[in-house]
Structures are given as C-alpha cells and as structure tokens.
Amino acid sequence: SDLCSSLHLQSEIVRDESSSGLLDCVREGVARLLGVGAPHSRRLLPLRCLLLPAALHAILRYAVATSIQRVVLWLHQRSKKQRAEPSNPLDAYFPELAASWAGSLVADVVLFPLETVLHRLALQGTRTIIDATDGVVAVGNGGSPLVVPVNTQYDGFSDCLHAISRKEGGAGFYRGFGVLVAQYALHGALLAAARTLMRVLLLDAKAS
C-alpha cells in the first residue's frame, strides 16, 4: 500500500508540474494562508494549524538562546576579573559574538525535535520530493540515492509527534542533525579565524 500511494503521489507531482505556472507558488501560498480555495492535496494542513507550534518554537528558541548568551557573558566577565588582565580591544566584540553563537547552538540543538515536527507538517501535502538521507539507494540506478516524495499523513502537531516517536524512535527527531553540526562548526571556525586575524593585526600595529 505504501508503494502504491508513493507512485500515486509521484504521478500527481508530475501532473501538477506540467500544468504549473510561474505564479502558482504565490497563489497556493496565499490560498493556504487565508484558508480559501481548493488545495491540490487533502493532506495539506492549513497554516492556522501551524501558527501555535511555530510561535512556541520561536519563543522557546529566543528564551533558551538569550539565557545561554547571558550565562556565557557572565562567565567571561567573571574569569576576566579573576585574571586581572589588561584591557584588550578584542574583548569589545568577540565575547558577545561567541556568546551569541553558543546561545544559538544550544537553542537549536535542544529544539531540533520540535523543528523537525514543524518542517514535516509544513511540507506535508506539498509538491515536494527529497533525497533519501537514511542510506537507501536505488538498485537499478547505479547505486545512486533514491528521490522519495513526502508521503506523510499527519493530522496535526500531536499526531506527528507521536507518530515519529512510535515509528522511528528518538532518532527520528534528529534526522538531518549533521547539517546543523556542520553549520555551527563552520560558523565557529570563522569566528576563531577572524579573532586570530584581528589579534595578529593588533600585534603588528603595536610592534610598528
């Protein structure tokens, strides 16, 4: 049954793409936002069902990120007083940047399961196909990754939450987590490189 529904959804995607116009994405977005018009899929959830979870995610992310940022800045100020080091021009900018990086990292890691649920609900019923990121490869396609349609049928936020937990376990909430790790690793490396460059430039300026 899953294969039949998958093939049916793929045929719908191809048919919709052949008849889609340039402004169809705008028209469908406005129709979904206002809850008017006939959606192309009955699995497409209206945006009003996502407003409360999205607002909760935004509020929690701001609260967690701000709290971590304040803690990191407080620890930095405390260690600075204990060391009694001379004033450093780098301390005017980089501690806040590092604290903001740490706050965003902790908030995104903690709230990643909630963000996963929101993404799945937002994509459900849309004409979206994704690469199979869980190691599934096509046998007759030279071992290349499969492209699979978004074929979920969640009734809402709580149904999606329980379905992921029941069918995929806790790991299901952290699919795609490696991308987040790579993003913050790159961000942290850029901050460290910028701080090292600024330190070298300041030393050269003092030496001259």
Side-chain angles (χ1 to χ4, degrees), residues 51-101:
L51 288 180
L52 184 58
L56 177 63
H57 175 268
I59 293 173
L60 289 176
R61 189 184 186 282
Y62 174 79
V64 173
T66 303
S67 301
I68 297 299
Q69 184 175 356
R70 290 179 178 177
V71 170
V72 171
L73 286 175
W74 176 78
L75 291 174
H76 172 74
Q77 293 294 335
R78 183 179 179 182
S79 63
K80 182 181 177 181
K81 290 179 180 179
Q82 291 178 353
R83 291 195 304 264
E85 294 180 348
S87 60
N88 190 341
L90 294 177
D91 290 338
Y93 304 103
F94 282 96
E96 292 186 2
L97 293 176
S100 177
W101 175 85

Side-chain angles (χ1 to χ4, degrees), residues 36-158:
V36 297
H40 63 272
S41 174
R42 287 178 295 180
R43 297 179 297 110
L44 187 67
L45 295 176
L47 287 184
R48 63 176 178 272
C49 297
L50 305 178
L51 288 180
L52 184 58
L56 177 63
H57 175 268
I59 293 173
L60 289 176
R61 189 184 186 282
Y62 174 79
V64 173
T66 303
S67 301
I68 297 299
Q69 184 175 356
R70 290 179 178 177
V71 170
V72 171
L73 286 175
W74 176 78
L75 291 174
H76 172 74
Q77 293 294 335
R78 183 179 179 182
S79 63
K80 182 181 177 181
K81 290 179 180 179
Q82 291 178 353
R83 291 195 304 264
E85 294 180 348
S87 60
N88 190 341
L90 294 177
D91 290 338
Y93 304 103
F94 282 96
E96 292 186 2
L97 293 176
S100 177
W101 175 85
S104 298
L105 172 62
V106 173
D108 285 340
V109 170
V110 171
L111 297 176
F112 197 86
L114 178 58
E115 189 173 359
T116 298
V117 175
L118 288 175
H119 286 170
R120 292 198 182 189
L121 292 177
L123 290 177
Q124 175 175 290
T126 60
R127 293 174 293 193
T128 304
I129 55 177
I130 59 175
D131 292 332
T133 57
D134 53 357
V136 180
V137 295
V139 177
N141 196 24
S144 60
L146 283 172
V147 177
V148 296
V150 177
N151 197 22
T152 57
Q153 297 187 17
Y154 305 121
D155 294 330
F157 180 81
S158 60

Side-chain angles (χ1 to χ4, degrees), residues 187-206:
H187 190 183
L190 290 176
L191 283 178
R195 190 176 192 278
T196 302
L197 178 61
M198 290 295 296
R199 183 183 295 274
V200 171
L201 292 177
L202 288 174
L203 291 176
D204 291 342
K206 290 180 180 179

